[in-house]
Amino acid sequence: MKNPVMPASGTFGAGREYSELMDINRLGALVAKTVTLKPRDGNIPPRLCEVSSGMLNSIGLQNEGIDHFLKHDFPFMKEFDVPVIINIAGNSLEEYAQLCREIDRVEGVSGIELNISCPNIKAGGIAFGASSKLAEQVTAAARYNTQLPLIVKLTPNVYNISKIARAVTSAGADAISLINTMVGMSIDTNTFKPNLGNITGGLSGPAIKPIAVRMVWEVAQSVKIPIIGIGGISNALDAVEFFLAGATAVAVGTANFINPLTMTDIISGLEAYLVDKGFTDIGQIIGKVKT
Ligand code: SIN
């Protein structure tokens, strides 16, 4: 990676729309929206709702399935001079294993991110990420079926995230990304109805940043593998907080919807911050919070 900044899966599609607005080659990596074995229609609308300092989503992992992704989206993504990470989700261990086997055969993939943290689907998703035993099993199943760098994306909807981080590390994860969204709910005060068709959804944006920083800090005390910090990052100083907490890279999600140039602004802002503070390498601030 030429820098430690990438999009958070699901907020950037395959990059097609953003490629008309920004220079994708400036990014540290490209992370595709979650892909599953078979196409998924997703949840009933409305699927998005703005809330104070963030938004709720309940997309339900809508996607066209791995075959379509590898035929239509991946070829577009790999044209850029940027490593491509494919994010996958399954309903069972075997589905995660099969996805890993299929992706392992594809030339030009730089890594696989396991989504074991989607709060909006009934089978799979968060169920795998909320139990250290299941998180370990799904990571082991993926590990057994791919040689590619393996990133496991954790949910914040757990009591002890360090325990889950240790479980996936011992099962062979090469890196951890955190956090996915927090389960939330919003109600229309005129109709008395929930603002999302799925009733609940995942909260993202600045509202969750302090929780994400705290969890990155906790996980950084517990495991030695690299951490990708995610959660409400909107500018370079937000990213710096994650590095100080122990992240070695960051992913930007909701802020891309407000300003599609957020990530390139963060890359420039990080460079300016390091120069201003007299550092020559981002590694000099990683984990350097003074507690
Ligand atoms: C969704 O598709 O519902 C969101 C994806 C996620 O939270 O992992």
Side-chain angles (χ1 to χ4, degrees):
M1 289 166 60
K2 55 189 107 150
N3 65 64
V5 181
M6 66 191 91
S9 170
T11 63
F12 208 70
R16 235 181 226 104
E17 298 80 4
Y18 284 90
S19 69
E20 292 170 19
L21 302 166
M22 63 175 290
D23 180 4
I24 288 195
N25 285 317
R26 284 196 62 202
L27 298 177
L30 265 179
V31 187
K33 172 169 164 51
T34 300
V35 63
T36 52
L37 212 46
K38 300 270 174 262
R40 288 181 59 94
D41 290 338
N43 291 338
I44 52 165
R47 294 169 166 188
L48 291 178
C49 157
E50 278 193 53
V51 295
S52 319
S53 301
M55 60 171 253
L56 291 168
N57 89 77
S58 71
I59 308 300
L61 298 182
Q62 180 189 344
N63 77 97
E64 307 270 16
I66 187 70
D67 291 346
H68 182 278
F69 173 83
L70 291 176
K71 209 162 164 199
H72 298 281
D73 294 322
F74 181 65
F76 174 83
M77 298 178 86
K78 79 169 186 189
E79 282 311 304
F80 296 97
D81 181 25
V82 175
V84 177
I85 296 165
I86 301 181
N87 180 301
I88 60 168
N91 291 324
S92 63
L93 296 181
E94 180 43 36
E95 282 192 15
Y96 280 97
Q98 193 176 332
L99 282 160
C100 285
R101 277 197 295 277
E102 288 194 23
I103 294 168
D104 207 57
R105 288 197 286 265
V106 179
E107 211 183 302
V109 181
S110 292
I112 297 177
E113 183 176 54
L114 297 188
N115 184 351
I116 58 167
S117 46
C118 175
N120 302 324
I121 55 171
K122 289 194 173 66
I126 204 171
F128 284 111
S131 144
S132 55
K133 200 167 171 195
L134 288 178
E136 189 171 348
Q137 283 174 2
V138 70
T139 307
R143 179 72 293 159
Y144 188 73
N145 285 284
T146 181
Q147 305 288 320
L148 287 164
L150 189 62
I151 305 162
V152 182
K153 185 167 186 177
L154 302 187
T155 174
N157 299 292
V158 293
Y159 175 66
N160 187 346
I161 196 157
S162 296
K163 192 171 169 196
I164 313 272
R166 282 194 294 272
V168 304
T169 304
S170 71
D174 295 304
I176 289 173
S177 53
L178 74 150
I179 58 175
N180 203 326
T181 55
M182 299 216 59
V183 179
M185 182 172 174
S186 166
I187 300 171
D188 185 319
T189 51
N190 288 316
T191 62
F192 292 17
K193 287 187 165 174
N195 280 317
L196 293 174
N198 189 46
I199 303 176
T200 63
L203 177 65
S204 61
I208 65 167
K209 196 190 83 182
I211 298 166
V213 172
R214 186 264 295 177
M215 288 188 157
V216 164
W217 176 72
E218 283 180 356
V219 168
Q221 317 296 304
S222 310
V223 298
K224 298 239 176 311
I225 60 176
I227 295 169
I228 302 168
I230 315 170
I233 298 172
S234 309
N235 56 51
L237 294 184
D238 289 344
V240 167
E241 279 194 64
F242 280 83
F243 290 116
L244 292 170
T248 47
V250 292
V252 178
T254 305
N256 292 322
F257 299 141
I258 300 163
N259 172 11
L261 300 181
T262 303
M263 287 184 288
T264 45
D265 287 352
I266 289 177
I267 293 162
S268 309
L270 282 175
E271 280 165 4
Y273 173 87
L274 293 178
V275 169
D276 184 50
K277 300 284 179 200
F279 296 117
T280 52
D281 190 305
I282 194 82
Q284 291 171 283
I285 66 166
I286 290 172
K288 289 294 168 18
V289 59
K290 296 178 181 168
T291 50

